[in-house]
Amino acid sequence: ETNAGVGLIFPPPDIRGVIDKTAQFVAKCGPEFEARVLREQNNQKFAFLLANNPYRAYYEHKVKEFKTGVVEEAKPEVPQAIIEQKAKEDEKKKKKEQMKMLTMGEKKKKAAKPPPPDQFVLSHPYIAPMDMDIIKLTAQFVARNGQKFLIGLTQRESRNPQFDFLKPTHALFGYFTSLVDAYTKCLMPGKDEVEKLKKTAANPSEIMDRALARFAWDEQEEEKRLTLEEQEKEEKEQMAQIDWHDFVVVETINFTAEDDNIALAAPIDTSTGAPKGAPTPLDGSTGVLMQEARIEKPKRVEEDEVEEAKAEVEKAEKEKRERERAEREQAEKEREEREKEEREREERERLEREREEMVLPEEEPMELEPEIPMPTTDMEMKVRKDYVRQKKASGQRLMQRCPITGQLIPAEEMSNHLKVLLLDPKWKQQKDALVERARKESAFADDVEANLAGFVAKRPDLFGSVDEQIREAAEAGAEASAREAGADAGPAHTMVPPSSALPSSA
């Protein structure tokens, strides 16, 4: 048995963190660390390191715990007045509950058993009434006619969006399946269900017991839900009351060059507060363990390791130098290529300027027209071998550079020049094809009158022959002239019968 923690004065939480952290470092690094802290830190925060400080006993107790790795439960002693006050409050609470039980009756504390799952009650989704009726009616037909009806309906209505719920990937497929199961149980109930219904119908008290059990279950679930909501509400209120911007700096840790050489401590177990794994004693046996470790490790092994490390460093430096040299060579090569391209470009520009000066020595710089895009199709070019360029008579003509060929063209000929260059090379073929097609069609013929005459000559059955037309035209002309002659003579005053006129004429 141990009396650890008895008579200890527990410091406040802000100082306790500093004491625990300092005790952990002292247990790991030894009393020299404590002496260094006393020598360098003249702060009231580390006053517990003094011998006459009231928290010195708690500090030594924590150092012992970290050294041995055994954490002993040491709780501060509760004053007797607080214990008595708590006992009085518990007694008042117990009397109040007894009075409530006598006046209002004892409330059942027994947890209600969950009722059997509902087979015929489903949670309906929020959809249009028409869609709901279609799903219910389809489920009834499927429950009545079986799986073959469902397969045929699915194939027949595969393109109908109102029957998409028949597809397994649809969101309402599960709801439709539940309806089919419920309707099937109603239309074809099992023997156990029939017996259960007969037994329930013969015993009305069983129906009442089941209803009360269901009511108790629903009430219990509602109480749980309300309790959970109240807890969440209280938690939100408590979190809202916390001022997250009001904080106090408990400790400031300064790391020095000596901390880099100190070995890291083992991880701390949060449940016990002790280092994980087997505790390493920090007394005189430490030097023995380290000495044994050094003796077990031969000196030649250490030298080999040092040589290997040096070789790796030299290899890495060599690779780095080679990589830098390759990068420099690559950069030098790229720079030379850029300079060469720049010289070639300058040479081309110089030649262009000289050529322009030879053609137009007194020509002023002129404004070029906007660049015209090149035609997409390949143009057939005709090359004349006997062409001789002629010099212009006058050097005062306004010249412009063609954006396509780069030649100098007179300004008044530029539009015609661009028109020829941008001409479609297939235009002649298309024109010939259009003329040939127009020749084959009578509607596009040039001589319509000749075509009609030929057509009349070929079809005498419809229009007659040419001789008949001439004769008919002559007769029509004679009749017309006779009518005109009679009209000029005027109307007759006496009517002479034909019989009397014949002898006189003879």
Side-chain angles (χ1 to χ4, degrees):
E1 295 182 359
T2 179
N3 295 327
V6 179
L8 292 179
I9 300 176
F10 282 78
D14 54 344
I15 303 177
R16 188 181 306 173
V18 180
I19 295 177
D20 294 346
K21 184 66 69 174
T22 307
Q24 183 180 356
F25 275 97
V26 170
K28 182 177 64 176
C29 303
E32 294 80 6
F33 182 80
E34 178 181 348
R36 184 163 65 89
V37 171
L38 274 175
R39 185 173 62 255
E40 297 179 359
Q41 300 289 339
N42 296 325
N43 195 342
Q44 189 67 22
K45 185 169 60 175
F46 294 94
F48 59 87
L49 296 175
L50 301 176
N52 57 352
N53 193 276
Y55 301 139
R56 176 72 183 187
Y58 175 79
Y59 162 71
E60 294 176 353
H61 172 70
K62 296 301 292 184
V63 171
K64 183 180 179 182
E65 282 186 357
F66 285 119
K67 279 185 177 181
T68 58
V70 179
V71 178
E72 299 176 355
E73 293 293 334
K75 297 183 179 180
E77 184 179 357
V78 181
Q80 188 65 25
I82 297 177
I83 297 175
E84 293 177 356
Q85 183 68 21
K86 189 174 181 182
K88 290 180 181 179
E89 291 179 357
D90 293 341
E91 187 176 357
K92 287 181 181 180
K93 189 175 181 181
K94 190 181 295 184
K95 288 182 179 180
K96 188 176 181 180
E97 290 179 356
Q98 291 177 358
M99 184 63 65
K100 186 176 180 181
M101 291 167 55
L102 292 174
T103 55
M104 301 179 63
E106 184 178 2
K107 188 176 181 180
K108 293 182 179 180
K109 299 293 183 181
K110 187 177 180 181
K113 295 181 180 180
D118 294 327
Q119 301 181 10
F120 309 103
V121 179
L122 301 176
S123 57
H124 301 282
Y126 293 97
I127 57 178
M130 183 178 179
D131 295 337
M132 180 71 73
D133 294 341
I134 292 175
I135 294 175
K136 288 183 178 180
L137 192 60
T138 307
Q140 293 175 12
F141 273 87
V142 171
R144 177 65 181 84
N145 301 321
Q147 194 70 16
K148 292 184 178 180
F149 175 79
L150 177 61
I151 296 174
L153 181 65
T154 305
Q155 294 176 354
R156 186 172 66 253
E157 302 294 341
S158 60
R159 297 179 179 272
N160 193 348
Q162 287 187 336
F163 287 89
D164 284 346
F165 61 86
L166 297 176
K167 300 177 181 178
T169 57
H170 198 267
L172 298 175
F173 181 76
Y175 173 66
F176 168 72
T177 308
S178 302
L179 283 177
V180 171
D181 295 340
Y183 288 138
T184 305
K185 291 178 182 178
C186 292
L187 295 174
M188 293 175 288
K191 294 183 179 180
D192 297 338
E193 293 293 332
V194 174
E195 294 294 333
K196 186 177 179 180
L197 290 174
K198 290 181 179 179
K199 183 178 178 181
T200 304
N203 190 3
S205 60
E206 185 177 354
I207 300 176
M208 182 61 68
D209 293 340
R210 290 170 58 185
L212 292 175
R214 184 57 184 252
F215 172 74
W217 169 257
D218 293 341
E219 187 180 13
Q220 178 179 334
E221 292 297 317
E222 184 67 17
E223 288 180 357
K224 289 181 180 179
R225 185 181 66 81
L226 294 176
T227 304
L228 184 60
E229 289 181 356
E230 290 179 358
Q231 291 178 357
E232 292 179 354
K233 185 178 179 181
E234 290 178 358
E235 185 177 356
K236 289 181 179 178
E237 291 178 354
Q238 292 176 1
M239 294 293 288
Q241 292 176 359
I242 298 175
D243 187 4
W244 297 101
H245 298 281
D246 185 13
F247 58 90
V248 179
V249 178
V250 177
E251 179 185 3
T252 303
I253 301 176
N254 297 323
F255 293 96
T256 60
E258 297 180 0
D259 296 328
D260 297 336
N261 301 324
I262 299 175
L264 296 176
I268 303 298
D269 190 355
T270 56
S271 59
T272 60
K276 292 182 180 179
T280 304
L282 298 177
D283 49 1
S285 60
T286 305
V288 177
L289 292 176
M290 295 301 294
Q291 187 176 4
E292 291 176 357
R294 286 194 297 269
I295 292 173
E296 291 176 357
K297 190 172 183 181
K299 184 176 181 181
R300 185 171 53 191
V301 175
E302 294 182 356
E303 294 177 355
D304 294 342
E305 291 180 355
V306 172
E307 292 177 358
E308 290 177 0
K310 289 182 178 179
E312 291 179 358
V313 172
E314 292 177 357
K315 184 179 180 181
E317 291 180 354
K318 185 178 180 181
E319 292 178 355
K320 184 178 179 181
R321 287 194 299 270
E322 291 179 355
R323 186 166 57 252
E324 291 177 353
R325 184 171 63 255
E327 291 177 355
R328 286 196 300 271
E329 292 177 356
Q330 184 67 18
E332 185 69 21
K333 188 182 296 183
E334 292 178 356
R335 187 175 61 81
E336 291 178 357
E337 291 179 357
R338 286 196 300 268
E339 291 179 354
K340 184 178 179 181
E341 292 177 358
E342 187 69 21
R343 287 195 298 271
E344 292 178 356
R345 186 175 60 82
E346 291 178 355
E347 184 68 20
R348 287 197 300 270
E349 292 178 355
R350 186 180 61 79
L351 293 176
E352 289 289 339
R353 287 195 299 270
E354 291 179 357
R355 191 181 300 114
E356 292 177 2
E357 291 175 358
M358 290 173 63
V359 176
L360 296 175
E362 299 179 358
E363 182 180 356
E364 296 181 357
M366 61 195 72
E367 184 179 358
L368 298 179
E369 293 186 359
E371 188 172 323
I372 301 176
M374 293 289 292
T376 56
T377 58
D378 297 334
M379 297 187 296
E380 298 180 1
M381 299 180 62
K382 295 182 179 180
V383 181
R384 292 181 56 184
K385 297 182 179 179
D386 57 347
Y387 174 75
V388 178
R389 185 173 181 179
Q390 298 178 359
K391 295 184 179 181
K392 301 298 180 180
S394 62
Q396 300 297 329
R397 296 182 64 183
L398 184 62
M399 307 292 288
Q400 290 183 352
R401 186 177 297 279
C402 177
I404 299 176
T405 61
Q407 298 177 356
L408 293 173
I409 308 296
E412 62 271 9
E413 299 178 4
M414 178 59 73
S415 59
N416 190 25
H417 174 75
L418 293 176
K419 180 180 178 181
V420 173
L421 287 179
L422 298 177
L423 200 62
D424 190 359
K426 297 183 180 179
W427 71 273
K428 193 172 186 309
Q429 300 176 4
Q430 295 174 359
K431 183 179 179 181
D432 295 342
L434 181 62
V435 172
E436 185 67 23
R437 187 168 63 253
R439 287 176 182 174
K440 294 179 182 179
E441 297 179 1
S442 61
F444 294 96
D446 297 335
D447 192 0
V448 179
E449 185 177 356
N451 290 338
L452 290 177
F455 180 67
V456 169
K458 290 181 181 179
R459 296 299 304 272
D461 56 336
L462 297 177
F463 303 99
S465 62
V466 178
D467 297 336
E468 292 177 356
Q469 291 180 2
I470 295 172
R471 184 173 62 254
E472 290 177 357
E475 292 177 355
E479 290 178 359
S481 59
R483 283 196 300 272
E484 290 178 357
D488 295 340
H493 295 283
T494 57
M495 299 295 294
V496 179
S499 60
S500 59
L502 288 174
S504 60
S505 62

